[in-house]
Amino acid sequence: MPSRIRLEDRECPLSTTVQHVGEWWTLLILHDAFDGYTRFDQFQQSLNISTSMLTARLKTLVADGLLERRPYQTNPVRHEYVLTERGRSLRPVIVALAAWGNQHLAPEARAMILVDAETGEEAEPVVVDARTGKRLDDSKMYTFTAGPAASEAMRARYDEMDRRRMEGSTQ
């Protein structure tokens, strides 16, 4: 599959992440894996996905290090697909995406909600800064800037954004 990432975006973590998990079926397969599905037939039945598409997506998830392919039966050989540590680290992203979707639905229209496993109480996922506990959804309080490995083009992008931000705050 050819890369959809633009040459100038290769250093952008958002662009490279979307390249790994931005495909429709990939997110749904990962969601099922978080729900405990590990076997090809479980994914296929749950998602009603074609064999060829599921095979391709699972191969990509294994190649990207998000799932591990392990034999669970020897005669005939059958494999299961288990989340790796890297794959498990995507759970907060999947939770945040589902929460965003539910935010835009009436409570009675939500088909799936996140609950506390012990109490059954509905959870309200938010993304926060681990250091301060502040919510990260305020784009004026938290902004992106060039990191230590940024190219000159990336640095120029964020220098320009900083300049515009400063002009806007003085007006």
Side-chain angles (χ1 to χ4, degrees):
M1 175 189 298
S3 174
R4 293 184 189 164
I5 193 168
R6 298 178 314 168
L7 185 58
E8 60 269 24
D9 288 336
R10 289 194 189 274
E11 69 181 301
C12 175
L14 181 59
S15 296
T16 55
T17 300
V18 168
Q19 184 178 14
H20 293 287
V21 298
E23 199 271 334
W24 166 272
W25 289 115
T26 299
L27 289 173
L28 297 178
I29 291 166
L30 287 170
H31 175 253
D32 276 1
F34 288 122
D35 280 350
Y37 294 26
T38 60
R39 298 188 178 167
F40 189 95
D41 58 329
Q42 292 174 318
F43 291 117
Q44 191 171 35
Q45 183 178 6
S46 171
L47 299 172
N48 196 25
I49 184 176
S50 74
T51 300
S52 61
M53 179 59 77
L54 181 56
T55 299
R57 294 286 87 215
L58 288 171
K59 281 182 181 178
T60 299
L61 286 165
V62 168
D64 287 347
L66 301 173
L67 293 177
E68 178 185 343
R69 185 175 184 245
R70 293 188 212 162
Y72 70 87
Q73 177 180 311
T74 55
N75 195 10
V77 176
R78 299 251 190 257
H79 293 89
E80 64 181 352
Y81 297 87
V82 180
L83 286 160
T84 63
E85 183 57 38
R86 185 176 186 189
R88 284 189 298 276
S89 72
L90 278 167
R91 188 166 194 278
V93 176
I94 303 293
V95 167
L97 285 170
W100 180 86
N102 275 343
Q103 261 184 341
H104 300 282
L105 294 173
E108 65 275 5
R110 298 179 298 157
M112 174 184 77
I113 59 172
L114 184 70
V115 297
D116 181 307
E118 290 182 16
T119 66
E121 293 291 318
E122 186 172 351
E124 184 181 340
V126 295
V127 180
V128 299
D129 174 36
R131 190 177 48 79
T132 65
K134 292 180 182 177
R135 291 175 64 123
L136 298 178
D137 52 2
D138 183 342
S139 62
K140 290 186 176 156
M141 180 170 282
Y142 291 96
T143 62
F144 287 104
T145 193
S151 67
E152 286 304 314
M154 183 70 82
R155 289 182 191 288
R157 169 192 171 119
Y158 286 109
D159 286 347
E160 174 62 20
M161 289 174 68
D162 287 344
R163 185 187 62 72
R164 285 187 300 198
R165 216 177 359 261
M166 292 305 291
E167 285 176 0
S169 67
T170 60
Q171 294 176 354

